[in-house]
Amino acid sequence: MNYVLDVHTHTLTSGHAYSTIKEMAEAASEKGLHLLGITEHAPLMDGAPNWIYFSNLRVVPRQMYGVELMLGVELNILDYDGHLDLDPAVMDRVDLRIASLHDLCIAPGSVEDNTNATINAIMNPRVDIIGHPDDGRFPMDLEKVVHYAKKYKTLLEVNNNSLKPGGSRVGADKNVHEMLTYCKKLQVPVILNSDAHVFSDVGRNDYSLPLVQEMNFPEELVVNRSVEAFKAAIADKRNTFLYNK
């Protein structure tokens, strides 16, 4: 399977990552990626930048080392109603929006609570991707999540970092397998991302890709296969739920 893009990565700006934009872009080029997304943590994560950083991203080039860049944000889901920690007007100024549950920003709740938090983020017209919905610290009804992802055209992430042994997220292997089973059944597309916090992890799929292949997950449902497929997927949601209001 072609793997030409990785759109969930972090630089020094996120506060707990270790490389610059140039270092990340150079690593993406060396690994043959066509598109790199840099999605810094949103303001309520400890060490993250404030809203002004995201408002000013227009000054950064969108091409480096022959790689197209999309610069965006990994938003924190703040409550079970799916509120996020960046104003919509600022969200509209970035290229890409991921929304994720982080235990530093929201306490894990019941299965119903966590499911509602994720579904409400899925329904947000500005959210392109749900980051690491595999974290067993936030157990949820994955069948329901996949149904809503299909209805609201929101990409679900298969996060390589989650599957890496020794990570902080628990039960990811089982949860990703369950999520992909429902995605395969309902024909819901997914995106494989590294969640890199250092240049050497850019483009890594050494845990996610084997799992997808082992399950015979349809290649046409993996948007990493081409930049065009990825951009079409996020444009489909935006055109349906945001720009055509």
Side-chain angles (χ1 to χ4, degrees), residues 159-165 167 169 193-197 201 207:
N159 187 295
N160 197 70
N161 259 356
S162 294
L163 295 164
K164 193 187 314 183
R169 298 172 198 142
N193 283 321
S194 69
D195 199 357
H197 285 64
D201 280 348
Y207 297 102

Side-chain angles (χ1 to χ4, degrees), residues 75-233:
L75 300 150
N76 297 295
I77 302 172
L78 300 178
D79 55 36
Y80 307 132
D81 293 323
H83 290 109
L84 305 170
D85 58 339
L86 207 59
D87 186 271
V90 180
M91 287 189 227
D92 286 344
R93 302 191 74 168
V94 306
D95 302 330
L96 185 62
R97 284 90 60 160
I98 300 172
S100 306
L101 291 165
H102 294 111
D103 62 355
L104 292 175
C105 298
I106 181 174
S110 66
V111 170
E112 183 179 8
D113 289 336
N114 301 327
T115 303
N116 286 340
T118 303
I119 285 173
N120 282 313
I122 285 171
M123 293 168 63
N124 188 313
R126 288 176 171 82
V127 171
D128 302 306
I129 300 168
I130 296 296
H132 46 78
D134 49 56
D135 190 349
R137 296 174 299 179
F138 292 92
M140 63 183 78
D141 182 340
L142 287 169
E143 183 175 15
K144 192 171 183 180
V145 166
V146 172
H147 273 280
Y148 273 83
K150 180 179 179 71
K151 181 177 180 180
Y152 287 91
K153 304 183 179 185
T154 307
L155 289 170
L156 298 173
E157 178 184 76
V158 180
N159 187 295
N160 197 70
N161 259 356
S162 294
L163 295 164
K164 193 187 314 183
S168 60
R169 298 172 198 142
V170 299
D173 192 284
K174 171 183 175 295
N175 292 332
V176 171
H177 192 283
E178 181 181 354
M179 183 185 81
L180 290 175
T181 298
Y182 294 128
C183 287
K184 187 175 180 179
K185 177 181 178 181
L186 296 171
Q187 295 292 286
V188 175
V190 301
I191 184 164
L192 278 58
N193 283 321
S194 69
D195 199 357
H197 285 64
V198 66
F199 74 93
S200 54
D201 280 348
V202 168
R204 280 190 64 174
N205 59 13
D206 47 333
Y207 297 102
S208 56
L209 186 57
L211 178 57
V212 167
Q213 292 173 330
E214 177 187 313
M215 292 185 64
N216 292 316
F217 194 79
E219 184 174 341
E220 64 269 20
L221 294 179
V222 181
V223 299
N224 303 77
R225 70 186 185 276
S226 74
V227 172
E228 293 74 21
F230 168 66
K231 288 186 174 180

